[in-house]
Amino acid sequence: MLCNAEISLAVSEALTLYKNAGKPIPIVCDPVCVSTSGHTLLEPGSVDVLLDHLFPISTLLTPNKSETELLLSSRGCNFEIETLDDLVGAATRLSALSDCSVLVKGEVKEFSSRHPEVEVIKQNILEENMEILLVGQEGTQNRKLVVDVLHQPEATVLFCRPRIDSTSTHGTGCTLSSAITCRLAQGFSVKDAVAEASLYTYLGILTARPMGKGFGPLNHLHSVDHVAIPSPTQVNPYPFTYHLIQGSRQIWKEYVEHDFVKLLGKGILPKAAFAHFIKQDYHYLKYYARAYGLLAAKSSSFGAIQSATETIMNVINEIATHKTFCQSFGISPEELESTPESTATTAYGAYILNVGLQGDHAKLVMALMACLLGYGEVGLWLKKEASLPSSWVAMEGNPYRKWIEDYSGVHYQNAVRIGIESIEKLVVIDHPSPARLKEWEDVWLRCAELEKGFWDAAMAQA
């Protein structure tokens, strides 16, 4: 907080001595002109000193929205920042005026831009293939975004995060610029330093505990709190499920956006492929029910035993519906029973039973979740796509419409919610070591691969 022109000039002269001495020090200038709460913190005569003397020797400027508007207006560029394009334009103009890189911090209501060349880095945002994590989160689709725009001569990058409703924001700008400086001092590039520092600052707000009155401090110690999985937050109430999907995002995407699913959504999946799938699914459900029997045997409470038993009964009750559905495609109950298991079915079924026989309760839960959650994700994805204008998903006249409605429906999605809550509890109860967490991740990943293989086998019949 340089306060006045004299102090600003003294600081710039001192730093210029280092520059002229050939010392390659990175300089981060946080031009504290206007606080987040709207208070003016810099005397008017100091702005020219900043622009003419301090900014040109700086590596990076980190003004907030109000400060950016003030700095631009001081050079006759009255610029009001309201949209994402305004943020990008303001960062570009201030960079040209100051002759250095600029990071402008702001907030936008809609994430759209006329600058397709701009790189976007999403931080702590629930991305594609995570529809199951958005269910029940009111206002998620309309949630405001906090966007930091980094403009460098070679490129512009947007760092985007969901806005947090918090009073633990005192010193946010100072924290961000200090964290960037720390990473630059360690040899990070400006882009990487900003990426790490902005996420560090964001998590500092997200994990802070309110204290006192008014705007309190961030949690600056969150980065030294070594936990395998972070606690639930208002923007991510299911951190472990998010961690699993994020960690397996490539195979997860190949699974839930499989060509089998896409053709099914369009209503043009070859009948032979679907017939193969539902016949093999009938056999897989036997393995699935047996696995839940093992889960009941490994459970330590009557509540857990009851939950596993209810799942088995749900599978048994669904078999009648499954047979009726099969008959609508010309597959008789006799054919269901007499059709031999495919290699993919045996591999998948044997794997989850093997996990159940050799592993503990937690590993078996992990083995069962990829199926439950994956089909829930597929159902919600197809349902969402079907609701869009000129959608590629065809519900009217689609022979597989009932399948889509079943997996996107309330009954199945309630089961998905229970499944997500069960794996979130694992982390809370077990506090897994890194090695144990890796075991869970490996089981999840392997089951996602086997699920994909299940649909690969069906498509081979087309």
Side-chain angles (χ1 to χ4, degrees):
M1 193 183 299
L2 298 179
C3 184
N4 57 43
E6 289 76 17
I7 294 175
S8 301
L9 189 59
V11 169
S12 64
E13 288 174 348
L15 291 174
T16 299
L17 290 175
Y18 279 95
K19 287 282 187 180
N20 292 340
K23 297 182 183 295
I25 57 169
I27 298 173
V28 177
C29 180
D30 184 20
V32 185
C33 311
V34 184
S35 70
T36 307
S37 54
H39 294 95
T40 300
L41 305 171
L42 189 69
E43 293 178 6
S46 304
V47 174
D48 286 337
V49 176
L50 294 181
L51 283 162
D52 295 334
H53 298 278
L54 192 54
F55 292 177
I57 64 170
S58 297
T59 307
L60 177 70
L61 309 184
T62 62
N64 61 30
K65 172 177 169 285
S66 300
E67 289 162 348
T68 302
E69 292 173 339
L70 174 63
L71 291 168
L72 288 175
S73 65
S74 71
R75 291 297 163 95
C77 181
N78 294 319
F79 204 90
E80 190 171 345
I81 302 172
E82 294 183 348
T83 67
L84 180 59
D85 283 324
D86 292 341
L87 273 175
V88 174
T92 304
R93 295 187 187 195
L94 185 56
S95 178
L97 278 176
S98 59
D99 196 28
C100 68
S101 298
V102 172
L103 178 69
V104 178
K105 301 160 286 184
E107 179 182 300
V108 295
K109 293 182 179 179
E110 292 190 19
F111 188 76
S112 59
S113 173
R114 295 191 298 271
H115 304 276
E117 75 284 358
V118 170
E119 181 184 358
V120 177
I121 296 178
K122 297 179 181 179
Q123 299 177 319
N124 222 41
I125 293 177
L126 299 183
E127 302 184 59
E128 60 176 0
N129 309 132
M130 294 186 183
E131 295 298 320
I132 53 174
L133 302 184
L134 297 173
V135 174
Q137 293 194 55
E138 295 295 331
T140 299
Q141 304 301 332
N142 298 318
R143 179 174 282 157
K144 292 181 180 179
L145 293 177
V146 174
V147 181
D148 296 339
V149 179
L150 172 64
H151 179 80
Q152 296 179 273
E154 64 274 15
T156 300
V157 183
L158 308 184
F159 300 91
C160 309
R161 300 168 298 281
R163 184 183 184 279
I164 309 167
D165 291 322
S166 173
T167 57
S168 301
T169 56
H170 182 70
T172 301
C174 302
T175 298
L176 176 63
S177 57
S178 299
I180 293 171
T181 307
C182 289
R183 283 308 195 202
L184 289 176
Q186 292 174 319
F188 282 60
S189 67
V190 171
K191 174 185 170 182
D192 291 343
V194 170
E196 293 222 0
S198 59
L199 186 57
Y200 166 80
T201 304
Y202 181 77
L203 293 175
I205 300 172
L206 197 59
T207 60
R209 294 185 179 182
M211 58 180 68
K213 297 180 180 180
F215 292 92
L218 289 65
N219 171 21
H220 292 94
L221 298 179
H222 69 82
S223 62
V224 297
D225 184 13
H226 297 295
V227 293
I229 304 296
S231 299
T233 63
Q234 60 177 273
V235 298
N236 189 3
Y238 307 116
F240 184 37
T241 311
Y242 174 85
H243 172 82
L244 291 171
I245 295 175
Q246 186 75 353
S248 61
R249 54 187 174 275
Q250 182 59 44
I251 190 65
W252 179 258
K253 181 180 179 67
E254 292 173 4
Y255 162 30
V256 300
E257 291 190 13
H258 198 282
D259 286 345
F260 179 96
V261 174
K262 293 176 181 177
L263 294 178
L264 184 147
K266 294 176 181 178
I268 59 174
L269 179 69
K271 183 179 177 181
F274 191 75
H276 176 87
F277 161 70
I278 55 177
K279 286 190 286 187
Q280 293 304 316
D281 193 41
Y282 178 77
H283 290 305
Y284 171 74
L285 287 172
K286 295 176 185 177
Y287 285 106
Y288 198 68
R290 293 176 200 144
Y292 267 95
L294 289 172
L295 191 63
K298 292 174 179 291
S299 298
S300 58
S301 69
F302 282 114
I305 293 171
Q306 180 182 359
S307 177
T309 305
E310 287 174 350
T311 299
I312 296 172
M313 294 308 301
N314 286 338
V315 171
I316 293 172
N317 293 332
E318 284 297 317
I319 289 301
T321 304
H322 192 93
K323 288 180 177 178
T324 302
F325 188 55
C326 288
Q327 285 183 312
S328 68
F329 284 88
I331 303 169
S332 67
E334 292 75 23
E335 186 179 356
L336 270 179
E337 290 292 353
S338 62
T339 298
E341 289 184 13
S342 70
T343 304
T345 303
T346 304
Y348 192 5
Y351 179 77
I352 61 173
L353 289 182
N354 188 51
V355 170
L357 290 168
Q358 295 187 11
D360 58 11
H361 173 272
K363 284 182 69 174
L364 182 53
V365 169
M366 295 307 307
L368 294 166
M369 287 301 109
C371 175
L372 176 66
L373 273 55
Y375 278 60
E377 180 66 31
V378 167
L380 290 181
W381 179 54
L382 291 176
K383 181 181 179 181
K384 184 186 78 170
E385 291 294 319
S387 68
L388 299 176
S390 304
S391 174
W392 58 269
V393 176
M395 295 298 282
E396 292 301 322
N398 189 329
Y400 310 115
R401 177 171 182 163
K402 184 180 185 304
W403 191 93
I404 297 172
E405 291 176 339
D406 283 348
Y407 287 106
S408 63
V410 173
H411 179 72
Y412 191 84
Q413 290 300 324
N414 283 339
V416 170
R417 185 65 39 226
I418 293 171
I420 290 175
E421 290 171 356
S422 70
I423 59 176
E424 294 295 330
K425 288 178 183 176
L426 289 180
V427 179
V428 176
I429 295 171
D430 199 301
H431 300 291
S433 66
R436 184 161 168 76
L437 179 61
K438 180 66 165 55
E439 288 183 348
W440 295 357
E441 293 167 348
D442 288 345
V443 170
W444 166 271
L445 181 62
R446 181 60 181 141
C447 286
E449 291 171 342
L450 288 165
E451 284 287 352
K452 176 183 177 295
F454 203 70
W455 278 338
D456 285 342
M459 290 299 292
Q461 309 301 313

